[in-house]
Amino acid sequence: GQNIDQPTEMTATEGAIVQINCTYQTSGFNGLFWYQQHAGEAPTFLSYNVLDGLEEKGRFSSFLSRSKGYSYLLLKELQMKDSASYLCAVRDYGNNRLAFGKGNQVVVIP
Amino acid sequence: DAGVIQSPRHEVTEMGQEVTLRCKPISGHNSLFWYRQTMMRGLELLIYFNNNVPIDDSGMPEDRFSAKMPNASFSTLKIQPSEPRDSAVYFCASSSNRANEQYFGPGTRLTVT
């Protein structure tokens, strides 16, 4: 099974950079996913890492270290619309199920 | 593409009643997932299907919950009898075997009184 830990809430100013961390424990790692969820809406896919290193997608980047069981999501040039919960999820090798963390609530203020 | 479709969007029912939630996955997707989300427990996988066959139902809370996928374009999650602690948002998601990401439907907000 998996054990996924994320801090719960942070506040940041428009235009700033925030880093959201995720640590995990799993027996057969096969990918880490980041999802964004606005209040009252469904989660939407942001990024996927399966190899160590940084994946960049516009203002969002995601980093993975498999040896440390650690990932972070970096949000640059924060905008008000980035206020949401950010969920990390881990997939085990051999199946398609995702185990989600509780999510980190980011509040962007002017 | 219409995305994943779920119905109803909201359901309010009394304890003891049967509840049926419906999902239509994205056309061509092979895998379908049912999740439940609450403040206390976060987003939990209940069951997932691959090519209409249930692969992992270890997340189904108890015998009151059942799920079916009679064909590639339709799935149901049934709770009978419902209890107040079943109140949550239930999401359906689908994915293709060739891709990694899962696409979520808008969810059904269930309230059991």
Side-chain angles (χ1 to χ4, degrees), chain A residues 35 37 42 91 96-97 102, chain B residues 37 40 48 56 100 102 105:
Chain A
Y35 279 79
Q37 186 176 23
R91 181 174 62 189
N96 217 1
R97 61 178 296 147
K102 290 266 181 78
Chain B
Q37 188 173 39
M40 289 295 293
Y48 88 88
D56 184 347
N100 290 305
Q102 295 180 16

Side-chain angles (χ1 to χ4, degrees), chain A residues 13-26:
Chain A
T13 309
E14 217 173 353
I17 300 174
V18 293
Q19 177 173 315
I20 305 165
N21 298 319
C22 175
T23 58
Y24 65 88
Q25 293 176 317
T26 185

Side-chain angles (χ1 to χ4, degrees), chain B residues 1 26 38 48 55 57 59 79-80 87 98 104 109 111 113:
Chain B
D1 195 332
I26 292 172
T38 62
Y48 88 88
I55 301 299
D57 65 355
I79 309 172
Q80 165 64 17
S87 297
R98 292 186 301 280
F104 282 75
R109 182 172 292 277
T111 303
T113 60

Side-chain angles (χ1 to χ4, degrees), chain A residues 45-108:
Chain A
F45 171 77
L46 286 179
S47 69
Y48 166 69
N49 295 68
V50 68
L51 299 176
D52 290 350
L54 191 68
E55 294 281 340
E56 297 191 76
K57 252 190 189 184
R59 294 188 299 111
F60 294 0
S61 305
S62 56
F63 171 83
L64 175 67
S65 167
R66 288 172 295 171
S67 61
K68 294 181 180 172
Y70 168 70
S71 172
Y72 68 71
L73 180 70
L74 199 66
L75 285 61
K76 298 178 231 176
E77 300 167 23
L78 274 179
Q79 301 176 8
M80 298 298 289
K81 66 179 181 179
D82 297 331
S83 292
S85 182
Y86 292 86
L87 306 164
C88 79
V90 170
R91 181 174 62 189
D92 264 354
Y93 194 79
N95 66 59
N96 217 1
R97 61 178 296 147
L98 295 183
F100 281 84
K102 290 266 181 78
N104 184 308
Q105 186 70 36
V106 172
V107 177
V108 182

Side-chain angles (χ1 to χ4, degrees), chain B residues 11-98:
Chain B
E11 175 86 25
V12 180
T13 191
E14 291 183 349
M15 182 173 138
Q17 297 298 306
E18 177 179 294
V19 174
T20 300
L21 311 181
R22 296 173 177 79
C23 176
K24 178 177 164 53
I26 292 172
S27 177
H29 280 189
N30 311 87
S31 295
L32 182 141
F33 307 81
W34 281 103
Y35 291 90
R36 176 172 68 176
Q37 188 173 39
T38 62
M39 289 291 291
M40 289 295 293
R41 300 173 68 91
L43 193 60
E44 304 173 282
L45 179 70
L46 299 176
I47 184 170
Y48 88 88
F49 295 84
N50 188 253
N51 294 324
N52 312 340
V53 176
I55 301 299
D56 184 347
D57 65 355
S58 58
M60 294 287 261
E62 48 199 271
D63 291 347
R64 298 185 297 107
F65 285 67
S66 62
K68 292 182 180 176
M69 192 164 186
N71 58 61
S73 58
F74 183 66
S75 176
T76 58
L77 177 69
K78 189 175 290 189
I79 309 172
Q80 165 64 17
S82 58
E83 296 182 3
R85 61 192 167 123
D86 302 330
S87 297
V89 180
Y90 290 81
F91 288 104
C92 175
S94 70
S95 71
S96 162
N97 286 351
R98 292 186 301 280

